[in-house]
Amino acid sequence: MTFKRVVVTGLGALTPLGNTLGEYWNGLINGVSSAGPITRFDTTNFKTRFACEVKGFNPENFFDRKEARKYDPYAQYGIACAEEAVNDSGIDLDKVDLDRIGVIWSSGIGGLDTFLYEIGEYVKSGGVPRFNPFFIPKMIADIAAGHISIKYGFRGPNFATVSACASSANALADALIYIRLGKADMFVAGGSEATINPAGVGGFSAMHAISTRNDDPQTASRPFDKDRDGFVMGEGAGALVFEELEHALARGAKIYAEVAGAGLSADAYHITQPHPEGLGAYNCMRLAMEDAGLQLADVDHINTHGTATPLGDISEVKAIQRLFGDHAYKININSTKSMTGHLLGAAGAIESIAAILAVKNDIVPPTINHFTDEPELDNKLNFTFNKAQQRTVNAALSNTFGFGGHNACMIFKKFNG
């Protein structure tokens, strides 16, 4: 069977670095940290009192006040971000078959803000069940996909992927597969997350997963650094328009990059810890390379999962070195989480966007906040520390791994006709 080729024709980003694609990319290449004290709630009693929050987002720029109250922040972020991507794609809704345009939208957790508020109100009432009729529709993780399809009338495949921090990369992989098989012409795919609240911060803190560097939050996200102490929570959304190549060419769409391949695997090891030798990560990258039909030497850049956790960074680098061998020393490795924090279920989407723009613009954003080499890592590798590097990027790999041992990798390459 001959698979159809898939390209990227639209992008949208709503991140702690900025609420548009351009602001996000400028923040990345300039090495800006988006971390700061949490403003959403009183953190006095919390071990971690900082995060990478979305800043200046006004829901009323996208919804009227009454309508906005029907959406959890994770859905608000998703709908707003998808709007940027759809507009960026230049699609004319009157000239396409809406039955063949789908939405695959993800969230690792969904409407945690809504759940926390409604249960809090229930407790305050002394157990009187006065729940908002929108409680369940606001909370469920698939509702953002539904809202996006309703807004634009997209009647193709529509669902949510949930695989913890790999969720939005899974959404992209599924969109790629559906278009390859001729099941749809286009997809809006990506993910959103909004978990900077007492439950989100408290829960991850209880697991000792997040940094406690309260005295210096801007440098707290330190992937591959000896003194890393956990990830920094982020929030926001990333949206990508994937399109069958001939469909894109027929309507004269601009093309950012070609979607070369995807890999999916499981660690089958532990609910939160990665395999110590990076076995799942290795298999995931290997499968993505096979799917893309690329040689190891074709990859110029890897946007790693790179969370700045003590175990995760080491296992991922082991996997990269095992797969790529000597070529690993010629690859620009980075972690954009050093700037955005960890967007959980939306991480795969925004980091795929960063990889795509690296391919498009031949520049690799830095891994900021590097101060001390980690002796357990091979520091002859190019981790793109502290400053962006210009180089030809013909193909880029984006890694995303999640609790439960879920792994998803995407590969993007220059479109050459």
Side-chain angles (χ1 to χ4, degrees):
M1 179 178 181
T2 302
F3 290 137
K4 295 180 180 295
R5 292 170 65 185
V6 182
V7 293
V8 182
T9 57
L11 297 172
L14 198 167
T15 77
L17 284 173
N19 298 347
T20 66
L21 179 67
E23 290 171 352
Y24 171 53
W25 180 240
N26 285 335
L28 288 181
I29 60 175
N30 287 299
V32 176
S33 171
S34 62
I38 291 171
T39 64
R40 306 288 168 76
F41 63 94
D42 183 357
T43 62
T44 301
N45 295 322
F46 286 75
K47 292 181 180 178
T48 295
R49 298 187 292 276
F50 63 93
C52 294
E53 296 179 327
V54 165
K55 304 162 186 71
F57 176 74
N58 183 357
E60 292 180 28
N61 291 336
F62 301 92
F63 324 99
D64 64 46
R65 185 171 299 180
K66 184 177 180 180
E67 183 186 10
R69 294 171 61 188
K70 299 177 182 178
Y71 306 137
D72 183 87
Y74 106 89
Q76 292 179 357
Y77 294 164
I79 297 165
C81 185
E83 180 177 302
E84 182 181 24
V86 170
N87 290 342
D88 186 47
S89 75
I91 182 175
D92 185 338
L93 297 177
D94 294 324
K95 294 182 179 179
V96 291
D97 184 352
L98 298 178
D99 290 341
R100 292 186 55 80
I101 302 178
V103 180
I104 308 177
W105 198 264
S106 68
S107 182
I109 299 177
L112 187 61
D113 249 20
T114 294
F115 185 84
L116 181 63
Y117 176 82
E118 292 291 336
I119 296 303
E121 291 299 299
Y122 174 68
V123 172
K124 286 179 187 177
S125 73
V128 179
R130 295 172 179 164
F131 292 98
N132 187 310
F134 291 102
F135 174 28
I136 300 302
K138 286 176 68 175
M139 180 192 71
I140 52 180
D142 68 297
I143 202 66
H147 283 309
I148 294 166
S149 70
I150 291 167
K151 177 175 180 177
Y152 294 103
F154 297 152
R155 295 186 293 267
N158 184 277
F159 58 93
T161 53
V162 180
S163 51
C165 301
S167 295
S168 54
N170 268 120
L172 301 182
D174 282 2
L176 169 64
I177 292 166
Y178 272 83
I179 297 174
R180 275 179 169 176
L181 294 174
K183 303 294 185 182
D185 296 326
M186 301 177 69
F187 272 98
V188 177
S192 53
E193 205 79 86
T195 59
I196 300 176
N197 54 42
V201 175
F204 282 110
S205 180
M207 297 170 62
H208 303 286
I210 55 177
S211 173
T212 57
R213 203 179 297 276
N214 294 300
D215 58 337
D216 191 10
Q218 285 205 320
T219 71
S221 183
R222 300 185 179 190
F224 313 119
D225 189 272
K226 179 179 180 294
D227 297 320
R228 65 194 183 283
D229 70 332
F231 71 82
V232 177
M233 288 188 65
E235 63 176 354
L240 300 88
V241 176
F242 282 8
E243 188 167 355
E244 191 272 321
L245 174 58
E246 295 305 322
H247 188 274
L249 294 176
R251 67 180 188 89
K254 71 174 179 297
I255 294 173
Y256 284 100
E258 183 164 359
V259 189
L264 304 171
S265 75
D267 279 8
Y269 175 74
H270 190 273
I271 58 171
T272 58
Q273 295 179 12
H275 189 282
E277 298 302 316
L279 179 60
Y282 166 80
N283 283 333
C284 189
M285 290 187 288
R286 174 180 59 81
L287 291 167
M289 292 295 295
E290 291 175 3
D291 186 52
L294 296 178
Q295 301 299 311
L296 296 175
D298 294 331
V299 173
D300 300 304
H301 166 44
I302 301 175
N303 189 315
T304 64
H305 188 56
T307 55
T309 54
L311 297 177
D313 287 7
I314 291 172
S315 67
E316 185 173 8
V317 173
K318 285 182 178 180
I320 291 169
Q321 290 190 280
R322 179 183 172 191
L323 179 63
F324 288 95
D326 290 342
H327 182 65
Y329 297 97
K330 300 178 181 179
I331 297 173
N332 271 82
I333 298 166
N334 77 347
S335 171
T336 48
K337 288 184 180 71
S338 60
M339 295 172 278
T340 65
H342 190 354
L343 268 66
L344 308 178
I350 68 160
E351 290 160 18
S352 287
I353 290 170
I356 289 163
L357 293 177
V359 169
K360 180 70 173 175
N361 298 305
D362 288 325
I363 184 169
V364 178
T367 305
I368 67 167
N369 300 329
H370 178 70
F371 303 96
T372 307
D373 287 349
E374 165 57 76
E376 293 191 51
L377 295 177
D378 184 345
N379 286 285
K380 293 180 181 178
L381 294 168
N382 184 357
F383 291 101
T384 323
F385 283 136
N386 296 327
K387 186 177 181 180
Q389 294 180 16
Q390 290 187 316
R391 63 164 296 170
T392 299
V393 182
N394 289 309
L397 177 64
S398 179
N399 290 345
T400 320
F401 313 135
F403 285 171
H406 312 295
N407 306 305
C409 301
M410 298 297 302
I411 299 181
F412 304 95
K413 66 181 183 180
K414 287 191 187 298
F415 172 66
N416 293 315

